[in-house]
Amino acid sequence: MEKVICDGYTLVFSDQGQGDAVVLLHGFCGSSEYWERVVPLLSKSCRCIVPDLRGHGSSDAPLGAYSIEQMADDLLKLLDELKLPKVTMLGHSMGGYITLSFAERYASRLNGFGLIHSTGYPDDEAGKEKRLKAVSTIQTEGMTAFIDGLVPGLFAPENAETHQELIAKAKEIGYSTPPQGAAGAALAMRERPDRREVISGSRLPILLVAGEKDRIAPAEKVFTADGPNITKATIQGSGHMSMMEKPEELVGVITGFLQQDRPQSDH
Ligand code: MLT
């Protein structure tokens, strides 16, 4: 793993493969390890840059509430440090919220972007309330109880039996998320605005990926816009975690998206 200092904090990332750069962002209480079944396949045809987001994995986890904008700004710093004028950014769930904030303000740094089991919708009132409950569970019961409650619901129910190892892996990643990082990120997600217009108003190539069995980000929340620049894909049999549940299928979708005709990137 490599390191960069963002806003005074260390952000770690992996950098594998060659060619056009793709930044892969994990979701809430995940880490770059979420992508460990994807990167070996995808890095055959492109350069995969995979950070541990602020508050997660081995990156620093400052105390207090984060903002999605701040987490997107960390990535701008990362691209600047790597001297990458343009990348394709693909974000899983919370990583998708960060991708939208990045696309809203730094579109000139993108060749395209994508949401993987994510949405432009903000939290509704019930969702905002759940964030506060999440923070309270993290603070009073600890990460193990919180993650044990969270992770099984991320996978398609029919995968629960066959994917025991993957669920255990996702839990292990979750357990090692610093509690202040999880709480900070939960509060960041709570405050995010409606960003559906970033999707409908962009001319960049956009990939929207839904999981057929996703109970967190159902297809109607993922597919919020149509257009000639928008590619939609549903991963059959997948829950919220296609990068773990169906990595070959997801890589096929991403590779197809990256190979579409598009203006030449300037690097
Ligand atoms: C995630 O996987 O990042 C979360 O499901 C996102 C959320 O809680 O909105």
Side-chain angles (χ1 to χ4, degrees), residues 25 53 68 71-72 75 89 94-103:
L25 305 181
L53 294 165
I68 293 294
M71 295 169 93
L75 301 171
M89 189 174 286
M94 180 185 76
Y97 311 154
I98 296 167
T99 299
L100 288 178
S101 171
F102 191 97

Side-chain angles (χ1 to χ4, degrees), residues 26-30 34 56 92-97 116-119 121 123 131 150 154 186 189-190 192 214 216-217 240-241:
H26 62 79
F28 178 54
C29 290
Y34 263 22
H56 292 75
H92 169 242
S93 205
M94 180 185 76
Y97 311 154
I116 299 174
H117 314 307
S118 190
T119 182
Y121 279 99
D123 280 358
R131 301 295 185 199
L150 177 78
L154 304 180
M189 291 192 287
R190 183 175 191 269
R192 75 188 193 281
D214 188 345
I216 312 288
H240 192 58
M241 300 289 278

Side-chain angles (χ1 to χ4, degrees), residues 202-217:
S202 173
R203 295 200 181 167
L204 287 168
I206 297 173
L207 175 64
L208 302 176
V209 178
E212 185 204 6
K213 312 277 183 184
D214 188 345
R215 292 169 285 170
I216 312 288

